[in-house]
């Protein structure tokens, strides 16, 4: 993956996070810079703890046809909200709806980008 493509994906993910903050009540972002930092933290959490959670809950995820991954993504968003200054998620419900909207926006971006 080229550096330009990586930077574009980072920007798209930050924009997607801003879209979620605009749509979902209880999802707060201070500004675009905060969104860029939050995307890095969310990516790091997904690579480490998220991966571990997904491996541990794989049978449950298979049983729910992958829908349980949305719960894990919501947990990651909550954790990122606690770590990132200027980024806050008020409740698990807001994180869960945010995870759903984020997944939809990512699909739309990936269709447009590819």
């Amino acid at each position: 993956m080229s550096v330009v493509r990586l930077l574009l994906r980072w920007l798209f993910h930050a924009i997607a996070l801003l879209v979620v903050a605009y749509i979902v009540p209880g999802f707060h972002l201070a500004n675009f810079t905060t969104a860029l930092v939050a995307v890095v933290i969310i990516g790091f959490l997904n690579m480490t703890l998220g991966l571990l959670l997904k491996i541990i809950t794989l049978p449950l995820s298979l049983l729910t046809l992958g829908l349980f991954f949305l719960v894990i993504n919501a947990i990651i968003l909550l954790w990122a909200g606690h770590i990132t200054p200027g980024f806050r998620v008020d409740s698990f419900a807001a994180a869960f709806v945010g995870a759903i909207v984020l997944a939809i926006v990512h699909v739309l971006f990936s269709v447009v980008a590819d």
Side-chain angles (χ1 to χ4, degrees), residues 1-83:
M1 180 178 289
S2 72
V3 173
V4 173
R5 189 162 171 89
L6 184 66
L7 288 174
L8 283 175
R9 286 185 57 148
W10 183 36
L11 291 174
F12 282 145
H13 287 290
I15 292 169
L17 201 59
L18 284 172
V19 168
V20 172
Y22 182 75
I23 293 174
V24 178
F27 214 92
H28 309 281
L29 269 170
N31 52 36
F32 186 68
T33 306
T34 303
L36 290 170
V37 172
V39 166
V40 171
I41 291 173
I42 290 168
F44 178 75
L45 289 173
N46 265 328
M47 286 184 338
T48 55
L49 300 173
L51 181 61
L52 181 65
L53 284 174
K54 288 174 183 174
I55 290 170
I56 290 170
T57 62
L58 186 61
L60 183 58
S61 295
L62 290 174
L63 188 64
T64 62
L65 302 175
L67 292 177
F68 193 74
F69 286 144
L70 289 173
V71 172
I72 294 171
N73 289 340
I75 291 168
I76 296 294
L77 287 173
L78 277 172
W79 286 343
H82 288 296
I83 295 171

Side-chain angles (χ1 to χ4, degrees), residues 89-107:
V89 182
D90 291 340
S91 66
F92 180 78
F96 187 74
V97 173
I100 292 170
V101 173
L102 204 55
I104 292 168
V105 171
H106 281 143
V107 167

